[in-house]
């Protein structure tokens, strides 16, 4: 029977597993998206949803419960003031998992675990156009520098050839 086997052990001891989950939670709440294995993502999702539910309550007791998993006060502050208000209208399901396929080194199935309402960096069309212009300018500058370098190489080659001719002519005149 499977009594008490709900937790995935992830091949680690209790203390190591707790530290791993806490670190993954801290990374998730600071970056709002992490890349990890599917088993770790599924296990981390359980705790992340629980912590976000605590953060939605916004009480001292809830803060203490969250601090058990995330000791960094700045991350707790971000969770309570930034992430939880964005998810206030959702009853549950605060994270999503995207499967990426196998990892090259060992073939472990990889996934992206992210918050549902991630803060996206909004880039206006004007800034995109400016960025494209800057890239073109940099490319044109790089091409000019390459051309100057080629011109210098040509002039150096021509100068060497002239010196060889002068040496040859001096040798002929001496004979």
């Amino acid at each position: 029977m499977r009594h008490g086997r709900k937790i995935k052990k992830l091949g680690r001891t209790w203390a190591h597993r707790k530290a791993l989950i806490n670190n993954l939670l801290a990374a998730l709440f600071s970056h709002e998206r992490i890349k990890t294995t599917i088993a770790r993502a599924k296990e981390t999702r359980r705790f992340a949803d629980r912590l976000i539910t605590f953060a939605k309550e916004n009480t001292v007791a809830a803060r203490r419960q969250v601090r058990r998993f995330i000791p960094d006060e700045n991350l707790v502050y971000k969770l309570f003031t930034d992430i939880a208000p964005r998810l206030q209208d959702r009853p549950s399901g605060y994270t999503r998992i995207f499967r990426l396929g196998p990892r090259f080194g060992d073939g472990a199935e990889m996934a992206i675990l992210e918050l549902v309402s991630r803060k996206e960096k909004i880039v206006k069309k004007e800034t995109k156009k400016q960025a494209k212009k800057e890239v073109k300018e940099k490319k044109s500058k790089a091409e000019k520098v390459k051309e100057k370098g080629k011109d210098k190489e040509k002039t150096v080659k021509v100068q060497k050839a002239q010196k060889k001719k002068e040496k040859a002519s001096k040798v002929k005149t001496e004979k």
Side-chain angles (χ1 to χ4, degrees), residues 119-133:
K119 261 191 180 174
E120 294 290 333
K121 292 182 179 177
I122 299 172
V123 180
K124 295 181 182 178
K125 290 182 181 179
E126 296 173 7
T127 56
K128 285 183 180 178
K129 289 179 183 178
Q130 290 174 352
K132 286 181 182 179
K133 286 181 183 178

Side-chain angles (χ1 to χ4, degrees), residues 87-103:
L87 299 167
Q88 196 67 37
D89 56 340
R90 289 184 76 89
S92 64
Y94 309 114
T95 56
R96 72 169 64 101
I97 295 176
F98 293 114
R99 292 174 182 258
L100 297 176
R103 183 165 49 196

